Amino acid sequence: MIRDTSLAIVVPCYNEEEMLPQSLPVLLETLDALIGKGKISQGSRLYLVDDGSRDKTWELIDQACDQHSGRVAGVKLSRNKGHQNALLAGLEATDEDIIVSIDADLQDDPSNIERMVDEYHAGNDVVYGVRAARDTDTFFKRFSAEGYYHLMRRMGVDLVFNHADFRLMSRRALNAMLEYRESQLFLRGIVREVGFTSSTVEYDRQSRAAGETKYPLRKMLSFAWHGISSFSTAPLRAITLLGIVASGMSLLMILWVLGTRLFTDNAIPGWTSILIPLLFIGSVQLLSLGIIGEYLAKMFEELKQRPRYHLETVKKHKRETSQQD
C-alpha cells in the first residue's frame, strides 16, 4: 500500500553551517507534505551526513536530531572522505523502502521529490532527477558540465544526461548498488549499471541560497577524470590509435629526412634525423605512460581494499509510538 511506503532523504553535508538552517526546514516540510497526502508513511526520515566538516555542521545536525527526534538521523564520518563516500555512508544507514539523495544546497528543488515518489508508485525502481535548464550556472559551468556528459557518452559510458546525484532508488535497487565494492566511487555510473525499471523527472536548477560551492574547478576536473577512468577503457584504446598515428607520422618524417639528405644540399648532418623523431616519439611515450599510470594507480587503490570511510557517530533516535503507522 502507498501509505505503508517509508521514505529516507539522504543529504551529504560538508561545511554547510550557513545552508543547513535554510535547507532543514524545507526538507522536513517536504516530508510532512508527502505524509499529509498519504504518499509516504509516518516512518519516513531525513538523514544528514557530516563529511568531516570543519565548521559547526555537526553541531547543527546533532541539535536537529534532538529537536526532531525520530524524524532526523545524523551520521558523522571520522574525517573528510569526499561527497561520494559521504553519500554512500548515508545510503547504507537507511532502512526505509525508498531513498532519495539530494545535496544540502537545494539547487535541486526538493519539491520534485513528490514527482519522484509518484514515479516510484507507477512502477519505477530508479527515478533520475534531470536538470532541464541551467540558467543559474555561469556560461563556463554550463558549457563544461554539458560537454562532460557528451564526452562520457562518446567514450561509451552510460550516463543520464544532466543528472548528478539527485535521484530516488527503491530498496531493492539500493541493495543491488551496495553490492558494488569498488573504493573509487562514481555513483551516477554505478546506478546505471544496476539496471531495473527507471524514469526521469526534469526540473530547473536553482541558485545556491547560502555558503560556497564545494566543487571548484579543480575538483570538477578531478571528478570528471575519475568518472572516465572508472567506466571507460577508451583512453587506453586511444593509446593504440595514437601509436598507429605516431608510427605513420614517423614514417613520413623518415621519408622527408631521406629525401632532403639525398636530393638537396639543405640537410644539417645528423640533426634533423635524430631530433625530430626523438621529440615526437618521446612525447607520445610520456603521454601513453601517464594514461597507463592512472589506470595502474586505480588498480593499486582497489587491491588494497581499504575501508571507504569510518563512522565516528551515528545518531538515530527511535521513532515515537505516535509516529508509527
Side-chain angles (χ1 to χ4, degrees), residues 62-177:
D62 189 41
Q63 293 171 10
C65 291
D66 293 334
Q67 183 178 355
H68 305 281
S69 180
R71 301 184 64 208
V72 176
V75 178
K76 179 175 172 52
L77 272 60
S78 61
R79 56 162 295 180
N80 177 248
K81 298 296 289 186
H83 177 274
Q84 298 290 278
N85 284 309
L87 176 55
L88 183 69
L91 294 174
E92 289 187 320
T94 65
D95 52 19
E96 285 73 15
D97 300 316
I98 53 177
I99 304 91
V100 169
S101 56
I102 188 172
D103 288 340
D105 58 19
L106 298 190
Q107 288 186 276
D108 303 322
D109 190 351
S111 65
N112 292 286
I113 293 177
E114 180 176 356
R115 297 165 59 198
M116 290 181 165
V117 173
D118 290 339
E119 288 293 319
Y120 165 76
H121 289 310
N124 295 287
D125 283 281
V126 183
V127 184
Y128 300 98
V130 176
R131 296 163 181 171
R134 288 176 171 267
D135 296 335
T136 59
D137 290 344
T138 63
F139 170 78
F140 176 76
K141 170 72 173 179
R142 184 167 60 252
F143 176 81
S144 59
E146 293 182 351
Y148 168 69
Y149 285 105
H150 286 300
L151 177 63
M152 292 288 279
R153 284 184 173 181
R154 292 292 298 272
M155 290 190 169
V157 182
D158 183 18
L159 287 183
V160 176
F161 187 77
N162 266 337
H163 164 71
D165 287 300
F166 182 34
R167 72 179 72 89
L168 177 147
M169 300 182 72
S170 67
R171 172 54 53 183
R172 72 166 180 169
L174 176 59
N175 289 340
M177 190 198 75

Side-chain angles (χ1 to χ4, degrees), residues 8 18 39-40 60 77 103 129 132 142 150 166 169 179 186 210 217 228 238 245 270 273 278 286:
E18 295 182 42
K39 296 187 176 182
I40 59 174
L60 295 174
L77 272 60
D103 288 340
R142 184 167 60 252
H150 286 300
F166 182 34
M169 300 182 72
E179 294 179 9
F186 188 67
L217 179 61
I228 292 172
V245 173
S273 60
L278 182 64
L286 288 175

Side-chain angles (χ1 to χ4, degrees), residues 28-313:
L28 288 175
E29 288 173 7
T30 300
L31 282 178
D32 289 338
L34 290 172
I35 292 172
K37 294 178 180 179
K39 296 187 176 182
I40 59 174
S41 71
Q42 290 280 354
S44 300
R45 197 195 304 255
L46 176 64
Y47 290 78
L48 302 175
V49 186
D50 178 21
D51 184 21
S53 299
R54 297 189 301 270
D55 60 6
K56 296 181 179 179
T57 296
W58 176 248
E59 294 180 28
L60 295 174
I61 295 175
D62 189 41
Q63 293 171 10
C65 291
D66 293 334
Q67 183 178 355
H68 305 281
S69 180
R71 301 184 64 208
V72 176
V75 178
K76 179 175 172 52
L77 272 60
S78 61
R79 56 162 295 180
N80 177 248
K81 298 296 289 186
H83 177 274
Q84 298 290 278
N85 284 309
L87 176 55
L88 183 69
L91 294 174
E92 289 187 320
T94 65
D95 52 19
E96 285 73 15
D97 300 316
I98 53 177
I99 304 91
V100 169
S101 56
I102 188 172
D103 288 340
D105 58 19
L106 298 190
Q107 288 186 276
D108 303 322
D109 190 351
S111 65
N112 292 286
I113 293 177
E114 180 176 356
R115 297 165 59 198
M116 290 181 165
V117 173
D118 290 339
E119 288 293 319
Y120 165 76
H121 289 310
N124 295 287
D125 283 281
V126 183
V127 184
Y128 300 98
V130 176
R131 296 163 181 171
R134 288 176 171 267
D135 296 335
T136 59
D137 290 344
T138 63
F139 170 78
F140 176 76
K141 170 72 173 179
R142 184 167 60 252
F143 176 81
S144 59
E146 293 182 351
Y148 168 69
Y149 285 105
H150 286 300
L151 177 63
M152 292 288 279
R153 284 184 173 181
R154 292 292 298 272
M155 290 190 169
V157 182
D158 183 18
L159 287 183
V160 176
F161 187 77
N162 266 337
H163 164 71
D165 287 300
F166 182 34
R167 72 179 72 89
L168 177 147
M169 300 182 72
S170 67
R171 172 54 53 183
R172 72 166 180 169
L174 176 59
N175 289 340
M177 190 198 75
L178 294 178
E179 294 179 9
Y180 289 73
R181 304 307 303 170
E182 58 253 50
S183 59
Q184 302 293 308
L185 290 175
F186 188 67
L187 293 179
R188 66 190 68 174
I190 295 176
V191 173
R192 291 294 289 172
E193 291 290 318
V194 169
F196 294 115
T197 305
S198 65
S199 63
T200 60
V201 167
E202 293 190 350
Y203 64 96
D204 293 336
R205 183 171 168 82
Q206 303 183 84
S207 58
R208 173 181 267 268
E212 298 179 353
T213 177
K214 304 307 182 293
Y215 265 90
L217 179 61
R218 176 181 60 81
K219 283 190 175 182
M220 285 174 55
L221 293 175
S222 176
F223 187 65
W225 171 248
H226 175 58
I228 292 172
S229 59
S230 293
F231 282 88
S232 176
T233 57
L236 292 174
R237 293 193 178 101
I239 292 177
T240 303
L241 178 61
L242 186 61
I244 294 173
V245 173
S247 299
M249 295 183 67
S250 298
L251 178 60
L252 293 175
M253 286 183 180
I254 291 171
L255 295 175
W256 174 73
V257 169
L258 288 175
T260 303
R261 177 68 180 86
L262 296 174
F263 302 110
T264 71
D265 297 326
N266 299 326
I268 299 175
W271 184 84
T272 304
S273 60
I274 294 175
L275 186 61
I276 293 179
L278 182 64
L279 292 175
F280 182 73
I281 298 300
S283 62
V284 170
Q285 288 178 332
L286 288 175
L287 175 63
S288 302
L289 287 173
I291 295 176
I292 294 173
E294 286 289 335
Y295 281 87
L296 288 175
K298 195 170 292 291
M299 292 173 60
F300 174 69
E301 292 295 329
E302 294 294 338
L303 287 172
K304 287 188 292 187
Q305 296 185 338
R306 291 179 176 176
R308 290 177 288 200
Y309 57 83
H310 295 286
L311 297 179
E312 180 176 322
T313 306

